[in-house]
Amino acid sequence: MMTWKEVLAQHKTLRGIGQHSLLVDRGESGYRNRFLPDGAILYPGEGLAGHQQPTRGNRILLEALATQTPMRVYERKNPNCWQDRGLFVVESVEYRWEELERRYVYWFRLVPLAAT
């Protein structure tokens, strides 16, 4: 397990999507990461209001998909307690209409590198 200070030293940003890593949690951040039985993670794109755009963090993930560049995933387990989940690749992306939110959201499918 890691402290937030240790994660931040590696992740280098307060945003959920960094240049080479991602932060996930079980809803504490307001994002609805979905942890799948096969070990994959459905990761919503950056932006909690309005249609998500292919900018900033979403662009990083779109580029990671195109280049198949692995991203390190850190999962928040408890306050100041993080787990390094290892390297994941962006396997696919879906840009879909979310009826309840009345907006378009990116959903990135992340799979553990070992599973690819």
Side-chain angles (χ1 to χ4, degrees), residues 7 9 32:
V7 170
R32 301 176 326 273

Side-chain angles (χ1 to χ4, degrees), residues 14-74:
L14 298 176
R15 294 181 176 278
I17 304 169
Q19 193 62 41
H20 304 288
S21 58
L22 304 164
L23 305 178
V24 298
D25 60 31
R26 305 279 174 165
E28 297 90 351
S29 65
Y31 287 95
R32 301 176 326 273
N33 303 296
R34 296 182 186 154
F35 297 84
L36 304 178
D38 65 358
I41 300 169
L42 289 182
Y43 190 90
E46 184 176 70
L48 291 171
H51 301 311
Q52 291 183 350
Q53 301 297 318
T55 56
R56 297 191 326 199
N58 294 332
R59 177 170 289 164
I60 289 170
L61 291 177
L62 290 167
E63 289 173 4
L65 172 63
T67 61
Q68 287 298 281
T69 302
M71 305 281 289
R72 184 155 304 277
V73 172
Y74 298 100

